[in-house]
Amino acid sequence: MNEIIFLIEEALEGGYTARAIGEGIFTEGDTLEETKKNIKEAVECHFDEDKKPKLIRLHMIKEEVIAV
């Protein structure tokens, strides 16, 4: 596996959540930097050394509402 993709969203109660696409990995953090650190730790724990992806791609999702 060359890369793994995470969807990062702002949590309603504050902070961020991150979910891997195609893998059972979920983590969160109070800040974006903490979330990135937690993602890296979660990937390192989830995969054996020889199966670990070389890259982690982050997709940031930000929801906005516009009244009409």
Side-chain angles (χ1 to χ4, degrees), residues 12 15-17 28-29 33 41 50 57 66:
L12 294 175
Y16 297 87
T17 61
E28 57 191 0
E33 289 306 313
E41 288 177 4
D50 60 331
R57 186 174 304 274
I66 300 172

Side-chain angles (χ1 to χ4, degrees), residues 19-62:
R19 183 179 326 275
I21 297 175
E23 296 289 339
I25 306 173
F26 177 85
T27 190
E28 57 191 0
D30 291 332
T31 66
L32 189 54
E33 289 306 313
E34 180 182 1
T35 305
K36 289 178 183 180
K37 180 178 91 44
N38 292 345
I39 288 170
K40 188 173 180 182
E41 288 177 4
V43 168
E44 289 173 352
C45 290
H46 186 79
F47 292 99
D48 292 333
E49 190 63 35
D50 60 331
K51 305 256 191 226
K52 187 169 55 173
K54 294 175 179 51
L55 296 172
I56 300 171
R57 186 174 304 274
L58 307 177
H59 286 256
M60 309 293 286
I61 300 172
K62 183 173 180 167

